[in-house]
Amino acid sequence: MLRVGLTGGIGSGKSMVAARLAQCGAWVIDSDRVAREVIEPGTAGLRAVAEEFGAEILAEDGALNRAALAARVFNDADARGRLNAIVHPLVAARSAELVAVAPPDAVVVQDVPLLVEAGMVAGFPLVVVVHADTDVRLRRLVERRGMAGSDAAARIAAQATDAQRRAAADVWLDNSGCREDTLAAVDRLWARRLVPFEDNLRHSHPAPRAAAPVLVASDDSWSPQAQRMITRVEGVAAGRALRVDHIGSTSVPGLDAKDVLDVQVVVADIEVARRLSAELSAVGLVKPAGRWWDNARDGTTWDKAYGTNADPARDVNCHIRPAGSPTWREAVLLRDWLRAHPDGAREYAELKHRLAARQWDSIDAYASAKTPFVYSALDRAQRWAARTGWLVA
């Protein structure tokens, strides 16, 4: 099973995308519908809302007067907070029940309008954001829903910004233009990413990767992508992670690299590391077969645990290292030294390009060929650390 969070601002076309995903075969859970269900007449949810806000938010037949409640909470942040404190746990519990009865091979799409605002991003291995430009959304709300322009603008302003949603998005679907183009993009997303992601995750298969090293130019999006993965891993670790870092070449701005995010988790010992690696399927990472270890600069060998991506569109290496191993510190030190020494980063990039131009039997052979530079850089980094007083932040 793969769980996908789907969100987007009012008027963006999120419901259209959800409907298309349902047509493709997704198990769609509509949080708005669930929110209505948990406060239907006779429910504990409606009783709690009425106790909090008074009988005036009820219609004559005892049902919720939604217009009266909306008028009460829309411009009152404190009132909205009290309402959310009642409704959100009920919606979460009911949604969990619906997820639990989904087929084991389902792509479960949870349509959550306020996913970003509610801080729920880390709970999903993949988040899809449906976007439309503000002027397009305003026009849709006025023309299709009959809203006054000022009301539509106020509703948009009350939600997350485009920047906040983009920071949460693993997939950004722009629905500003032609409906047919958006539906075609959804179909591609389903066939090329969601279906294979679910299959890989259910069978604990790492997604296929290029057999040869492919270097690309440094990408500013690597850092926010890594931060999303870090937040997800921290949620699974539940206090067992002593620290989680973005390491490797994609963590150094301006450094050409393979398009692979390396995330490092430091835990108390190797047994904790192994247990954690088995739990990372909750965030879309699978545990490959075999033993994993590091060769430290001092010549010692240290066991580690490892997770890698089931997502065919986002390569991730998650290294889970015990606190006693020197290799986790070396990874952070090398990152910080490369960030502080552009000449060293350029030297590394030039070496990688020379090596990538050669034929290799495996990615591991390519990685091994970089080891002399890495050890030399670590020697320089150790002297730099001693001279500057560098400490692991």
Side-chain angles (χ1 to χ4, degrees), residues 148-170:
S150 58
D151 290 343
R155 292 287 295 275
I156 290 173
Q159 295 184 338
T161 65
D162 288 347
Q164 289 169 325
R165 290 197 186 93
R166 192 174 284 279
D170 300 294

Side-chain angles (χ1 to χ4, degrees), residues 61-84:
D61 62 358
L64 179 67
N65 184 330
R66 297 183 182 279
L69 180 61
R72 179 74 178 274
V73 305
F74 185 74
N75 291 314
D76 186 335
D78 178 68
R80 283 200 307 277
R82 300 199 311 275
L83 177 62
N84 290 340

Side-chain angles (χ1 to χ4, degrees), residues 1-18:
M1 179 187 295
L2 171 67
R3 292 174 58 246
V4 177
L6 174 67
T7 194
I10 186 170
S12 64
K14 175 180 57 60
S15 296
M16 178 187 76
V17 170

Side-chain angles (χ1 to χ4, degrees), residues 278-289:
E279 298 170 19
L280 289 179
S281 60
V283 293
L285 301 178
V286 295
K287 179 183 178 181

Side-chain angles (χ1 to χ4, degrees), residues 273-316:
R274 289 170 177 153
R275 288 196 297 271
L276 178 57
S277 69
E279 298 170 19
L280 289 179
S281 60
V283 293
L285 301 178
V286 295
K287 179 183 178 181
R291 178 194 170 203
W292 296 87
W293 66 89
D294 292 313
N295 294 315
R297 180 69 182 96
D298 62 9
T300 58
T301 299
W302 292 82
D303 281 333
K304 71 173 180 179
Y306 185 71
T308 190
N309 55 293
D311 182 355
R314 176 66 273 167
D315 290 350
V316 177

Side-chain angles (χ1 to χ4, degrees), residues 229-264:
M229 182 54 67
I230 286 170
T231 302
R232 287 168 173 145
V233 169
E234 287 174 335
V236 175
R240 290 171 291 174
L242 304 178
R243 60 181 297 135
V244 187
D245 292 284
H246 182 197
I247 61 167
S249 293
T250 58
S251 71
V252 181
L255 179 59
D256 295 354
K258 300 193 304 296
D259 188 13
V260 180
L261 303 179
D262 284 279
V263 173
Q264 175 175 265

Side-chain angles (χ1 to χ4, degrees), residues 16-144:
M16 178 187 76
V17 170
R20 185 62 161 205
L21 286 168
Q23 291 173 356
C24 289
W27 183 276
V28 176
I29 299 173
D30 184 336
S31 292
D32 274 347
R33 184 176 301 171
V34 173
R36 291 192 292 272
E37 177 186 324
V38 300
I39 51 175
E40 287 179 346
T43 62
L46 183 57
R47 289 194 296 273
V49 172
E51 288 173 3
E52 180 65 36
F53 294 99
E56 59 269 23
I57 57 93
L58 298 176
E60 291 184 0
D61 62 358
L64 179 67
N65 184 330
R66 297 183 182 279
L69 180 61
R72 179 74 178 274
V73 305
F74 185 74
N75 291 314
D76 186 335
D78 178 68
R80 283 200 307 277
R82 300 199 311 275
L83 177 62
N84 290 340
I86 296 169
V87 175
H88 284 181
L90 298 172
V91 171
R94 177 57 180 153
S95 297
E97 293 174 354
L98 295 172
V99 171
V101 298
D105 61 349
V107 175
V108 177
V109 175
Q110 292 184 239
D111 178 349
V112 186
L114 300 182
L115 184 146
V116 174
E117 293 87 337
M120 299 171 60
V121 173
F124 297 92
L126 194 79
V127 169
V128 177
V129 172
V130 183
H131 168 77
D133 294 336
T134 300
D135 59 339
V136 174
R137 294 166 62 194
L138 282 169
R139 185 173 67 251
R140 289 172 180 168
L141 293 174
V142 171
E143 294 178 357
R144 300 179 187 178

